[in-house]
Amino acid sequence: MTAPVTPEIPHRRLAGNLPHWTIVLSLLVLAAIVAMAVAAPQLANFEPTELNAVMRLQAGSETYWLGTDSFGRDLYSRIVYGARVSLLVGAGVAAGAIVIGLPLGLLAGWFRGFDAVIMRVMDGMMAIPGILLAIAIVALTKAGLVTVIIAIMLPEIPQVVRLVRSRVLAARAESYVEAAQLLGTPAPRLITRHLLPATVAPLIVQATYIYASAILTEAALSFLGVGIGTEIPTWGNIMAEGRLYFAMRPWLVFWPAIVLSLCILSINLLGDALRDRLDPKMKGRDE
C-alpha cells in the first residue's frame, strides 16, 4: 500500500490573496511615514525653507543626509515635511468625498425622484477627466492647500455616489428592508438603521483608494506647477524643482519619488486587504 499523500499546506495568508508579510510590511511602511509626518520638527535636520547658497546641489553627507537642492535647502528635511502636506491632502480629499457623496448616494438609491437628477449631475462630472478639472479649478483660484483639496475632491465624489447608490439598490431588495417598509418605518429611520450600515464596509475600502489617488494627484499638480506653492514643501514640487537638474543630480527626483511610491503602494495594499476582509464576495471573485 502506498502512503497517503499529505496535501501541501499553503503559506499562511491574511486578507485573501495577499501574503501575511506583505500586509505587515505595508502597515509598517505606512506607520513610519505617518510617524515621520507627525514628528517632522524633531526628525528634520534643518528648517525646510532654510537657504544656503554656498551648499547648492551637494551630494549626501553627514550634514545633508540626502543632499541639497538648487537653493541649498536640505532635501531630507523637505521630504520629511512634505509628508505632512501629502498625508493631509489625502485625508482631506477622502473625508470630503465621503461626507458629500454618502448622503447623495443614499438619496439617489432610495428616492427615485432624486436619482435621475443626482446621477445625471454625477455623469456630467465624470465626463471631465479628474486631473483636467483639478487643474482648471486651481488655475481659476489662488493655489493653496484648501483649494488643492477641493480641486482633487470634486472628481472623486461621483465614485462615492455611484458606490453608495449601488449598495442601497441592492439592500432595498432584501427581505428585512421590505418588512421594515410594510411595518411603516419612516424613511429617515429606515435609511439610517438598515441602508447606511450596508455602505460602511465598501466605503472604508473606497476611502483607502481615494486617499492614495489624492496623494498621487497632488504630486502631479505640484509637478506641473499648478499645485501648492514651492514655499510649502510637498513631494510633488520637490520633484518638480529637481527635474531641472536630473541629469546632474538625479537623487533630487529619486528620493521623493521613492517615498511617494512606497506610501501609495502601502495604502493600496492595505485597501486590497480590507476589501478581501470586508467583502468576501469580491475575494471569491478574484480567486
Side-chain angles (χ1 to χ4, degrees):
M1 295 180 62
T2 59
V5 179
T6 303
E8 182 180 355
I9 300 176
H11 295 292
R12 184 186 176 192
R13 291 178 178 267
L14 179 67
N17 297 325
L18 296 175
H20 174 79
W21 65 267
T22 304
I23 305 302
V24 173
L25 183 59
S26 64
L27 287 174
L28 290 176
V29 171
L30 188 58
I33 293 175
V34 173
M36 179 177 68
V38 173
Q42 290 74 36
L43 295 177
N45 295 332
F46 300 89
E47 288 294 326
T49 56
E50 183 177 341
L51 305 178
N52 188 348
V54 179
M55 302 300 294
R56 295 174 63 251
L57 301 175
Q58 295 294 311
S61 63
E62 294 183 0
T63 304
Y64 301 100
W65 293 352
L66 301 182
T68 60
D69 64 8
S70 58
F71 295 97
R73 295 172 297 192
D74 181 41
L75 183 61
Y76 163 74
S77 299
R78 289 181 63 77
I79 291 175
V80 169
Y81 273 92
R84 286 184 158 189
V85 177
S86 296
L87 295 179
L88 182 59
V89 168
V93 171
I98 291 176
V99 168
I100 297 175
L102 176 58
L104 292 178
L106 291 173
L107 291 175
W110 185 254
F111 299 102
R112 298 295 186 185
F114 286 103
D115 185 31
V117 177
I118 293 176
M119 295 314 297
R120 297 297 75 77
V121 174
M122 295 300 109
D123 290 342
M125 293 177 63
M126 294 183 66
I128 306 174
I131 187 68
L132 294 182
L133 180 59
I135 291 174
I137 294 173
V138 174
L140 293 174
T141 58
K142 183 179 179 181
L145 181 60
V146 176
T147 303
V148 168
I149 290 176
I150 295 175
I152 301 175
M153 178 186 67
L154 289 178
E156 299 291 348
I157 293 176
Q159 304 291 341
V160 177
V161 173
R162 291 172 67 91
L163 174 63
V164 173
R165 174 179 177 270
S166 65
R167 293 291 175 160
V168 171
L169 291 176
R172 67 182 297 169
E174 298 290 339
S175 57
Y176 65 89
V177 176
E178 295 178 352
Q181 286 183 278
L182 293 176
L183 292 174
T185 304
R189 179 178 175 82
L190 193 149
I191 291 174
T192 56
R193 185 171 182 178
H194 298 291
L195 300 181
L196 182 60
T199 66
V200 172
L203 275 181
I204 293 175
V205 177
Q206 185 68 19
T208 62
Y209 297 137
I210 294 176
Y211 201 121
S213 176
I215 293 176
L216 186 60
T217 304
E218 183 278 323
L221 291 176
S222 297
F223 190 83
L224 294 174
V226 293
I228 299 173
T230 55
E231 66 278 2
I232 301 177
T234 70
W235 293 334
N237 60 36
I238 293 173
M239 289 188 289
E241 294 176 341
R243 77 181 189 276
L244 301 175
Y245 306 93
F246 181 77
M248 298 184 300
R249 303 291 187 266
W251 62 79
L252 294 176
V253 176
F254 282 157
W255 284 119
I258 289 173
V259 178
L260 174 65
S261 300
L262 289 175
C263 181
I264 293 175
L265 178 61
S266 300
I267 296 173
N268 284 334
L269 288 176
L270 181 61
D272 288 340
L274 290 174
R275 181 200 63 182
D276 293 339
R277 272 296 177 89
L278 299 175
D279 193 346
K281 293 181 180 180
M282 183 65 68
K283 170 185 171 182
R285 193 179 305 169
D286 291 342
E287 293 174 350

